[in-house]
Amino acid sequence: MDDLEKTIYKYALLNAAQHKGNANPKAVIGSIMSNEVELRREAKKIGPIANDIVAKINQMSLEEQKKEIAKLGIELENKKEEKKEGLADLPGTHENIIMRFAPNPSGPLHIGHARAAVPNGEYVKKYNGKLILRIEDTDPKRIYPPSYDMIQEDLKWLGLAIDEVYYQSDRFPIYYEYGEKLIELGAAYMCTCDGGEFKKLKDACQPCPCRNKSIDENMELWKEFPNMESGQAVLRVKTDIQHKNPAIRDWVAMRIEDTEHPRIGKKYRIYPMMNFSVAIDDYLMGMTHVLRGKDHLANSEKQKYLYQHLNWDIPEFIHYGRLKMEDIPLSTSKTLAGIEDGTYSGWDDSRLGTLRAIAKRGIQSKTIYDLILEIGVKMADSAISWKKIYGLNRNILEEKTNRYFFVSNAKKVKIANLNEEEIAIPEDIERPLHPDFLDRGNRNLTFDGEVYISEDDLSNGMTRLMDAVNIDIEEGEVKYISKSFEDARKKKMRIIQWVPANDNIKAKVIMDDASEIFGLCEADCKNLKKGDIVQFERFGFARLDEIANDELIFYFAHK
């Protein structure tokens, strides 16, 4: 063997080892071209030699191949690393873990909220910790009152066990206590500067005149604070006035707010800003780890100043990337506006990405939970699509859901020339509720020569009515051909669903774009209960949402 053949032999053995003893000549040549630059000029020569060598190696047993590899002293690299299931370990302590999910009550939860809720829930489960739900309602302008209950309902659907629930609107006295304490420490000051003037000074890395007020002066203004005009003063936390990020320089801790609060009315006029209330609560509630989006990096930096002023231990801050969602409306304010102007039917409109809209369509909570775990907690941005959601959900529903016939835009047809020697009229036809789980039983359809089929299926050609008969459709005329399935298979007939003309139920399916499809489903669907999910054969998965008089109303999940 010359040097060229030895090289090809080596690469062929490596390729065989990676593919259970079967080397691929094209892959071998590709590896040589990639790794042996000087041999690229020998490409024409290498091809035929590689084919011969690969053929010989593929005739060897695995044991013989291993011996040849050992002779050549080739070290095999295991390029396939085991994929870690679940989330990466938390940094820092793993004892007495306390984490929180802290939404604003501006509406029910959507899939973006699950991005934060699920990892928090999974981590406390992993470390036997505690999960706190903290409703951050310190901005009365952004509160949608029904969402106080809706949030907890959505978390229950998602499968998260909440240990404690807090409302920040109940904690104003605590925030006042720490506002006053910061003034006493000289770590905060009352600022009466015009907002525009303060920004100019801040952007120039210069302190405003209020920064040098004495503690007594600040305390006097603090006591007068509730009686001031709106916008007359704010409480600021001292940071580094030279900080490279202007947003972090002497940020606002408290301000005057005269909007009536849905829970506490006009009891208070001094409201904490998010960074102030969040930092205070995270410490007092014992947070060991704070999980938040990377858009909060600056907020984490702001809050560290508060921890340092109060000589508190800083929790582990963990930031994750943005979640980009294709074709999924998530803006709570835009959704609310759409509900109010009639664009959407409600928070569970099938076009929305709210958890309740997703649930209404029959998408399982496990689908969303597993999807978020798969994305993990990482700084890189991630993208998801309905296609991905549908794929995961289909894996769950395939086994769980029973099959039924649904005929959209139903058209009644009478089959001519029925051969009563081949088929008894009427004939009871049984189909399994699920082809892989026969123990679930059967559904029954009665065939008597008159059926409903979908308008879309009423096109010319030979057709088989599933489990019934073969027919020929020509310009709306329907004629009997035979009963034999073998006949249908040999002639490659299309197979369609049908429902008996004299035994069916009206059905409406609300699609994912909110359009409505009317049709008929088989009579055994009368046994379904609200919330049941079915697979309409050749149509898709759908969830029964309502039984109205003589009509079943379904929401379409996906195909």
Coordinates of all heavy atoms in Angstrom, one line a residue, residues 271-309:
Y271 N -45.9 56.1 45.3 CA -45.8 54.8 44.7 C -44.3 54.4 44.5 O -43.6 55.3 44.0 CB -46.6 54.7 43.4 CG -48.0 54.4 43.6 CD1 -48.9 55.3 44.2 CD2 -48.6 53.2 43.2 CE1 -50.2 55.1 44.3 CE2 -49.9 52.9 43.3 CZ -50.8 53.9 43.9 OH -52.1 53.6 44.0
P272 N -43.9 53.2 44.8 CA -42.5 52.8 44.5 C -42.4 52.5 43.0 O -43.3 52.0 42.4 CB -42.4 51.5 45.3 CG -43.8 50.9 45.4 CD -44.7 52.1 45.4
M273 N -41.2 52.8 42.5 CA -40.9 52.3 41.1 C -40.5 50.9 41.2 O -40.1 50.3 42.2 CB -39.7 53.2 40.6 CG -40.1 54.7 40.5 SD -41.4 55.0 39.3 CE -40.5 54.8 37.7
M274 N -40.5 50.2 40.0 CA -40.3 48.8 40.0 C -38.9 48.4 40.6 O -38.9 47.4 41.4 CB -40.3 48.3 38.5 CG -40.1 46.8 38.3 SD -38.4 46.3 38.2 CE -38.0 46.9 36.6
N275 N -37.8 49.0 40.3 CA -36.5 48.6 40.8 C -36.5 48.7 42.3 O -35.8 47.9 42.9 CB -35.4 49.4 40.1 CG -35.1 48.9 38.8 OD1 -34.7 47.8 38.6 ND2 -35.3 49.8 37.7
F276 N -37.2 49.6 42.9 CA -37.1 49.8 44.3 C -37.9 48.7 45.0 O -37.4 48.0 45.9 CB -37.7 51.2 44.7 CG -37.6 51.5 46.2 CD1 -36.3 51.8 46.7 CD2 -38.7 51.5 47.0 CE1 -36.2 52.1 48.1 CE2 -38.6 51.8 48.3 CZ -37.4 52.1 48.9
S277 N -39.2 48.5 44.6 CA -40.0 47.5 45.2 C -39.5 46.1 45.0 O -39.6 45.3 45.9 CB -41.5 47.6 44.7 OG -41.6 47.5 43.3
V278 N -39.0 45.9 43.8 CA -38.5 44.5 43.5 C -37.3 44.2 44.3 O -37.2 43.1 44.9 CB -38.2 44.4 42.0 CG1 -37.3 43.2 41.7 CG2 -39.5 44.3 41.2
A279 N -36.4 45.1 44.5 CA -35.2 44.8 45.2 C -35.5 44.6 46.7 O -35.0 43.6 47.4 CB -34.2 45.9 45.1
I280 N -36.4 45.4 47.2 CA -36.8 45.3 48.7 C -37.5 43.9 48.9 O -37.1 43.2 49.8 CB -37.8 46.4 49.0 CG1 -37.1 47.8 48.9 CG2 -38.3 46.2 50.5 CD1 -36.0 48.1 49.9
D281 N -38.4 43.6 48.0 CA -39.1 42.3 48.2 C -38.2 41.1 47.9 O -38.4 40.1 48.6 CB -40.3 42.3 47.2 CG -41.5 43.2 47.7 OD1 -41.5 43.5 48.9 OD2 -42.4 43.5 46.9
D282 N -37.4 41.2 46.9 CA -36.5 40.0 46.7 C -35.7 39.7 47.9 O -35.5 38.5 48.3 CB -35.6 40.3 45.5 CG -36.3 40.1 44.2 OD1 -37.4 39.5 44.2 OD2 -35.8 40.5 43.1
Y283 N -35.2 40.7 48.6 CA -34.4 40.5 49.8 C -35.3 40.0 51.0 O -35.0 38.9 51.6 CB -33.7 41.8 50.3 CG -33.0 41.5 51.6 CD1 -31.8 40.8 51.6 CD2 -33.5 42.0 52.8 CE1 -31.1 40.6 52.9 CE2 -32.9 41.8 54.0 CZ -31.7 41.0 54.0 OH -31.1 40.8 55.2
L284 N -36.4 40.7 51.2 CA -37.2 40.3 52.4 C -37.9 39.0 52.2 O -38.2 38.3 53.2 CB -38.3 41.4 52.6 CG -37.8 42.8 53.0 CD1 -38.9 43.7 53.2 CD2 -36.9 42.7 54.3
M285 N -38.1 38.6 51.0 CA -38.7 37.3 50.7 C -37.7 36.2 50.6 O -38.0 35.0 50.3 CB -39.6 37.3 49.4 CG -40.8 38.2 49.6 SD -41.8 38.4 48.0 CE -42.9 39.7 48.5
G286 N -36.4 36.5 50.7 CA -35.4 35.5 50.8 C -34.9 34.9 49.5 O -34.4 33.8 49.4
M287 N -35.1 35.7 48.3 CA -34.7 35.1 47.0 C -33.2 34.7 47.0 O -32.4 35.5 47.3 CB -35.0 36.1 45.9 CG -36.4 36.5 45.7 SD -37.5 35.1 45.5 CE -39.0 35.8 46.1
T288 N -33.0 33.5 46.6 CA -31.6 33.0 46.4 C -31.1 33.3 45.0 O -30.0 33.5 44.7 CB -31.5 31.6 46.8 OG1 -32.4 30.8 46.0 CG2 -31.7 31.3 48.3
H289 N -32.1 33.2 44.1 CA -31.8 33.3 42.6 C -32.9 34.1 42.0 O -34.1 33.9 42.2 CB -31.7 31.9 42.0 CG -30.6 31.1 42.5 ND1 -30.7 30.4 43.7 CD2 -29.4 30.8 42.0 CE1 -29.6 29.7 43.9 NE2 -28.8 29.9 42.9
V290 N -32.5 35.1 41.2 CA -33.5 35.9 40.4 C -33.3 35.6 38.9 O -32.2 35.9 38.4 CB -33.3 37.4 40.8 CG1 -34.2 38.2 39.9 CG2 -33.6 37.6 42.2
L291 N -34.3 35.1 38.3 CA -34.3 34.7 36.9 C -35.0 35.7 36.1 O -36.2 36.0 36.4 CB -34.9 33.3 36.8 CG -34.8 32.6 35.4 CD1 -33.4 32.3 35.1 CD2 -35.6 31.3 35.5
R292 N -34.4 36.4 35.2 CA -35.1 37.4 34.4 C -34.4 37.6 33.0 O -33.3 37.1 32.8 CB -35.0 38.8 35.2 CG -33.6 39.1 35.6 CD -33.5 40.6 36.1 NE -34.3 40.9 37.2 CZ -34.0 41.6 38.3 NH1 -32.7 42.0 38.4 NH2 -34.9 41.9 39.2
G293 N -35.2 38.2 32.1 CA -34.7 38.4 30.8 C -33.5 39.4 30.7 O -33.3 40.2 31.6
K294 N -32.7 39.3 29.6 CA -31.5 40.1 29.6 C -31.8 41.6 29.3 O -30.9 42.4 29.5 CB -30.5 39.6 28.5 CG -31.0 39.7 27.1 CD -30.0 39.1 26.1 CE -30.4 39.2 24.6 NZ -29.4 38.6 23.7
D295 N -33.1 41.9 29.0 CA -33.5 43.3 29.0 C -33.5 43.9 30.4 O -33.6 45.1 30.5 CB -34.8 43.4 28.3 CG -35.9 42.5 28.9 OD1 -35.6 41.4 29.3 OD2 -37.0 43.0 29.1
H296 N -33.3 43.1 31.4 CA -33.3 43.6 32.8 C -31.8 43.7 33.3 O -31.6 43.9 34.5 CB -34.0 42.6 33.7 CG -35.5 42.8 33.6 ND1 -36.2 43.9 34.2 CD2 -36.5 42.0 33.0 CE1 -37.5 43.7 33.9 NE2 -37.7 42.6 33.2
L297 N -30.8 43.6 32.4 CA -29.4 43.7 32.9 C -29.2 45.0 33.6 O -28.5 45.0 34.6 CB -28.5 43.5 31.7 CG -28.2 42.0 31.2 CD1 -27.6 42.0 29.8 CD2 -27.4 41.3 32.2
A298 N -29.7 46.1 33.0 CA -29.5 47.4 33.6 C -30.2 47.4 35.0 O -29.7 48.0 35.9 CB -29.9 48.5 32.7
N299 N -31.4 46.8 35.0 CA -32.2 46.8 36.3 C -31.4 46.1 37.4 O -31.4 46.5 38.5 CB -33.6 46.2 36.1 CG -34.4 47.2 35.2 OD1 -34.3 48.4 35.3 ND2 -35.3 46.6 34.4
S300 N -30.8 45.0 37.0 CA -30.0 44.2 38.0 C -28.9 45.1 38.5 O -28.6 45.1 39.7 CB -29.4 42.9 37.3 OG -30.5 42.1 36.9
E301 N -28.3 45.8 37.6 CA -27.2 46.7 38.1 C -27.7 47.8 39.0 O -27.1 48.1 40.0 CB -26.6 47.4 36.8 CG -25.4 48.2 37.1 CD -24.1 47.4 37.4 OE1 -24.1 46.2 37.2 OE2 -23.1 48.0 37.9
K302 N -28.9 48.4 38.7 CA -29.5 49.4 39.6 C -29.8 48.8 40.9 O -29.5 49.4 42.0 CB -30.8 49.9 39.0 CG -30.7 50.8 37.7 CD -32.1 51.2 37.3 CE -32.0 52.1 36.0 NZ -33.4 52.5 35.6
Q303 N -30.3 47.6 41.0 CA -30.8 47.0 42.2 C -29.6 46.6 43.1 O -29.7 46.7 44.4 CB -31.6 45.8 42.0 CG -33.0 46.2 41.4 CD -33.8 45.0 40.8 OE1 -33.6 43.9 41.2 NE2 -34.6 45.3 39.7
K304 N -28.4 46.4 42.5 CA -27.2 46.0 43.3 C -26.8 47.2 44.2 O -26.4 47.0 45.3 CB -26.1 45.7 42.4 CG -26.2 44.3 41.8 CD -25.1 44.0 40.8 CE -25.2 42.6 40.2 NZ -24.1 42.3 39.2
Y305 N -27.1 48.5 43.7 CA -26.7 49.6 44.5 C -27.6 49.6 45.8 O -27.1 50.0 46.9 CB -27.0 50.9 43.8 CG -25.8 51.2 42.8 CD1 -25.9 50.9 41.5 CD2 -24.7 51.9 43.3 CE1 -24.8 51.1 40.6 CE2 -23.6 52.2 42.4 CZ -23.7 51.8 41.1 OH -22.7 52.1 40.2
L306 N -28.8 49.2 45.7 CA -29.7 49.2 46.8 C -29.2 48.2 47.9 O -29.2 48.4 49.1 CB -31.1 48.9 46.4 CG -32.3 49.4 47.3 CD1 -32.2 50.9 47.5 CD2 -33.6 49.0 46.7
Y307 N -28.9 47.0 47.4 CA -28.3 46.0 48.2 C -27.1 46.4 49.0 O -26.9 46.2 50.2 CB -28.0 44.7 47.4 CG -29.2 43.8 47.1 CD1 -30.0 44.1 46.0 CD2 -29.5 42.8 47.9 CE1 -31.1 43.3 45.7 CE2 -30.6 42.0 47.6 CZ -31.4 42.2 46.5 OH -32.5 41.5 46.2
Q308 N -26.2 47.1 48.2 CA -25.0 47.6 48.9 C -25.3 48.7 49.9 O -24.7 48.7 51.0 CB -24.1 48.1 47.8 CG -23.5 47.0 46.9 CD -22.9 47.5 45.6 OE1 -23.0 48.7 45.3 NE2 -22.4 46.6 44.7
H309 N -26.2 49.6 49.6 CA -26.5 50.6 50.6 C -27.1 50.0 51.9 O -26.8 50.5 53.0 CB -27.6 51.6 50.0 CG -27.1 52.5 48.9 ND1 -25.9 53.1 49.0 CD2 -27.7 52.9 47.8 CE1 -25.8 53.9 47.9 NE2 -26.8 53.8 47.2

